[in-house]
Amino acid sequence: MNALLDQLRAFGIGRLAAIFGLAAGVAAALVYFSGNVGAGSQSLLYSGLDPAAAASAAQLLDQANVDYEIKEGGTAIYVPRDQVDEARVRVASGGPLSGASVGYEIFDREDSFGQTSFVQNLNAKRALEGELARTIQSMAFVSNARVHLNLPERRLFARDQQAPTAAVTISTNATLNAEQVRVIRNIVASGAGLEANHVSLADDRGRQLAGAGGEGSAVSIMMDERQSGIEAQLRQNILDLVEGVVGPGAARVQVTAQLNRQSVTESSEIYDPDGAVVQSRDRSTETSTDLDGSNANRVSASENLPDADGGAGAAAGNSSNREISNDAVSYAISSTTRTQITEAGSIERLSVAVAVDGVLETQEDGSVVWRERPQAEIERIEALVRSAMGYVNEVGGRQDSVTVSQIEFARTDPLLGTPASSGLSFSKSDFMRIAEIAVMFITALLVIFLVARPLVKGAGGSAMPAGLALAGAGAGAGAGTASLESAAAPMALPGANPAATASAGDGIDISKIDGQVKASSVKKVAGIVESHPEESISILRTWLHEG
């Protein structure tokens, strides 16, 4: 304990005050920066609130004794991170906020007795809109959503009924693709019982993603995505192929695709006159007998003769037979009925442009010269590009175009080539994080050099033997070589009486020596150095450091 007090006295009051003050400041800085790294201990409770909703939520939090902070112009409420769940339960116990969606919990109230049918229908519509908005908000790419339903009243005996429609507005930080737009429209259509093409969709930046009455923008978005996908895939395939021939960075490829954006349905019926087929055949035969009755009614003397019967029989034998045959055949001409449906999205035309760099040759004098590639090599590259893209050139059909040209690329240094673009990009939060790390690093350096180092230095100096320490103090206080004699006078070998040594030292008058060192003092110092070599070297190092 006494040794520690001696060390503290050796530092001095001013030095101790500076060390402890600096240590307290460094500790405070460390606590402050460690508490503010990572956006502090506050967490977002609600955002996008109107003033009335924010006031209602603040009142509920005051009643629950939950600390909160209102930021972002009164539209957001922050609470301690460890109290977020409790705060949400407290706020939800008071009913939905005016800025939040209302779901089917609106029917949980017991004061619905006596409500009119208009109020009940309105509440049902609000609940359905709120539930649909919550379902849409549950998607990862949607941060906020609002749904408006137009459900016309069904009138009795009405001939024409108005179809229900819906309007949806969403907030998102990403660009939605056609599939995501289709999913949102189908959710609203299935939940509200209406057609998907009767749902219009827009984002918070005023862009219409899908219009009511047809696919509209959804089809356009799908076609744009398909076109971009085809162009990117062909560009990458052709670039990999060409760079494998001319080398990395020595080719540029651009692809433009034209797609068919209309769906066409064609129906045709083709007749084949050479393909006659018997459809039906009708055969009929008719037979008849005609008698000659010209003498049948005659009355004469011959009729009364004995052989009158023979005459009559002869007369009756005069008759004629007739037979009629009909053969009707019906033929049908063969026909083919064909229905062809052409969906939108087929490729109508591809245009590919390839720029190839030449060859760089280094001359004997160190200069770099650009040289063109042989034309045969360019033709082979063009043939490879045609095969990679699926080149088609038909009369009256798809006509693709391919252009392969060699041209000298722009370079800042012919030896280094075109510098690649840097992929490093820093945002404001990254700069703040770098600043925090820098401050922490500087603070650590200050602690090491201004606090830890003086303490270690003071502790090392106090560990020297008493005689050597006094010698070092005397050497630091004296001037020139005269201080050596004054330091040697009180020194003594180990085992000597400290009191005697101190008294002997007090009897020496340094001012009378006039800078001369006696031989006895030099011998005493030499003896001390021989007896304690390590301590002597430490003293010499201390003198050199302080000097």
Side-chain angles (χ1 to χ4, degrees):
M1 186 66 182
N2 294 329
L4 180 60
L5 293 176
D6 293 338
Q7 291 179 5
L8 294 178
R9 293 193 190 98
F11 284 128
I13 298 177
R15 192 174 182 183
L16 287 175
I19 291 175
F20 286 108
L22 180 60
V26 170
L30 289 175
V31 171
Y32 173 78
F33 284 109
S34 62
N36 285 274
V37 171
S41 60
Q42 296 288 327
S43 180
L44 178 64
L45 181 65
Y46 288 108
S47 63
L49 300 176
D50 54 9
S56 177
Q59 184 179 2
L60 295 174
L61 293 177
D62 289 334
Q63 296 176 359
N65 295 325
V66 177
D67 297 333
Y68 63 91
E69 186 176 356
I70 299 178
K71 299 180 181 179
E72 300 179 8
T75 61
I77 299 178
Y78 289 81
V79 297
R81 185 170 299 172
D82 56 348
Q83 297 181 350
V84 174
D85 297 335
E86 180 183 358
R88 287 178 179 173
V89 173
R90 294 287 185 178
V91 174
S93 62
L97 300 176
S98 59
S101 59
V102 181
Y104 288 123
E105 66 273 5
I106 193 174
F107 298 107
D108 296 338
R109 301 178 182 179
E110 298 179 356
D111 56 352
S112 60
F113 181 75
Q115 290 183 353
T116 62
S117 60
F118 174 78
V119 176
Q120 292 180 354
N121 293 335
L122 184 61
N123 289 338
K125 179 181 175 182
R126 292 180 57 196
L128 183 57
E129 292 175 346
E131 293 295 333
L132 290 174
R134 292 176 182 177
T135 303
I136 297 174
Q137 289 177 4
S138 63
M139 300 179 181
F141 54 87
V142 178
S143 59
N144 192 15
R146 295 198 65 182
V147 179
H148 300 276
L149 298 177
N150 179 21
L151 305 177
E153 182 181 358
R154 295 184 178 181
R155 300 181 179 276
L156 191 62
F157 304 114
R159 177 176 299 178
D160 297 330
Q161 295 288 346
Q162 184 179 358
T165 57
V168 182
T169 304
I170 61 174
S171 298
T172 179
N173 296 326
T175 301
L176 303 186
N177 53 34
E179 182 64 23
Q180 293 171 339
V181 172
R182 190 182 305 108
V183 167
I184 295 176
R185 298 183 72 185
N186 290 335
I187 288 175
V188 176
S190 301
L194 48 94
E195 297 292 335
N197 57 359
H198 290 170
V199 179
S200 62
L201 180 62
D203 60 2
D204 54 350
R205 285 172 285 184
R207 297 182 304 177
Q208 184 176 358
L209 305 178
E215 292 296 329
S217 300
V219 175
S220 178
I221 294 174
M222 183 179 65
M223 289 294 102
D224 293 339
E225 290 180 355
R226 175 172 171 78
Q227 179 179 352
S228 301
I230 293 174
E231 293 176 351
Q233 184 178 3
L234 287 177
R235 184 185 304 112
Q236 188 62 41
N237 294 341
I238 296 174
L239 183 62
D240 294 341
L241 182 62
V242 176
E243 283 186 346
V245 177
V246 299
R252 300 290 185 271
V253 179
Q254 184 64 37
V255 179
T256 302
Q258 295 181 4
L259 304 182
N260 179 21
R261 295 177 177 265
Q262 295 180 353
S263 298
V264 179
T265 303
E266 296 180 352
S267 297
S268 59
E269 187 173 1
I270 302 173
Y271 294 94
D272 185 8
D274 297 331
V277 180
V278 177
Q279 184 177 13
S280 63
R281 186 169 187 174
D282 186 10
R283 291 182 178 181
S284 61
T285 302
E286 182 180 355
T287 304
S288 60
T289 301
D290 294 335
L291 297 176
D292 188 4
S294 57
N295 299 322
N297 297 322
R298 289 185 304 169
V299 179
S300 62
S302 60
E303 299 296 332
N304 296 321
L305 292 177
D307 56 351
D309 295 336
N318 296 329
S319 63
S320 62
N321 296 325
R322 184 176 57 182
E323 181 179 354
I324 300 175
S325 298
N326 294 325
D327 189 359
V329 180
S330 298
Y331 294 91
I333 300 176
S334 62
S335 63
T336 302
T337 302
R338 180 181 179 185
T339 301
Q340 182 179 1
I341 299 176
T342 304
E343 296 290 343
S346 60
I347 299 176
E348 290 186 346
R349 189 172 186 269
L350 289 176
S351 299
V352 178
V354 180
V356 179
D357 195 8
V359 180
L360 297 179
E361 294 182 350
T362 304
Q363 304 296 326
E364 295 180 356
D365 57 354
S367 61
V368 179
V369 179
W370 183 85
R371 180 179 59 83
E372 291 186 356
R373 298 179 183 272
Q375 186 62 30
E377 183 178 357
I378 300 300
E379 293 177 356
R380 289 195 297 267
I381 293 175
E382 183 175 355
L384 292 176
V385 172
R386 291 175 182 269
S387 300
M389 64 176 287
Y391 179 80
V392 177
N393 191 354
E394 298 177 351
V395 178
R398 172 178 158 184
Q399 296 181 353
D400 298 339
S401 64
V402 178
T403 302
V404 179
S405 302
Q406 60 173 331
I407 188 171
E408 184 178 2
F409 289 178
R411 291 182 176 84
T412 56
D413 189 347
L415 295 178
L416 299 179
T418 304
S421 59
S422 176
L424 298 178
S425 59
F426 297 96
S427 60
K428 183 178 179 181
S429 60
D430 296 332
F431 285 111
M432 293 299 297
R433 182 60 179 170
I434 293 174
E436 291 177 358
I437 295 175
V439 171
M440 295 287 289
F441 181 73
I442 294 173
T443 304
L445 293 179
L446 292 176
V447 171
I448 293 173
F449 288 100
L450 299 180
V451 178
R453 187 170 177 272
L455 291 177
V456 173
K457 178 182 177 183
S462 63
M464 294 183 295
L468 295 174
L470 291 174
T481 59
S483 61
L484 187 59
E485 181 185 1
S486 63
M491 290 182 187
L493 294 174
N497 189 3
T501 304
S503 62
D506 294 339
I508 298 176
D509 189 1
I510 300 176
S511 62
K512 296 179 181 181
I513 295 178
D514 296 332
Q516 297 180 359
V517 180
K518 296 180 180 180
S520 59
S521 300
V522 174
K523 291 181 179 180
K524 291 180 180 180
V525 172
I528 293 173
V529 171
E530 291 178 356
S531 302
H532 304 280
E534 296 180 358
E535 290 80 354
S536 302
I537 294 174
S538 178
I539 291 173
L540 291 176
R541 289 177 178 174
T542 304
W543 290 352
L544 292 174
H545 179 73
E546 293 181 353

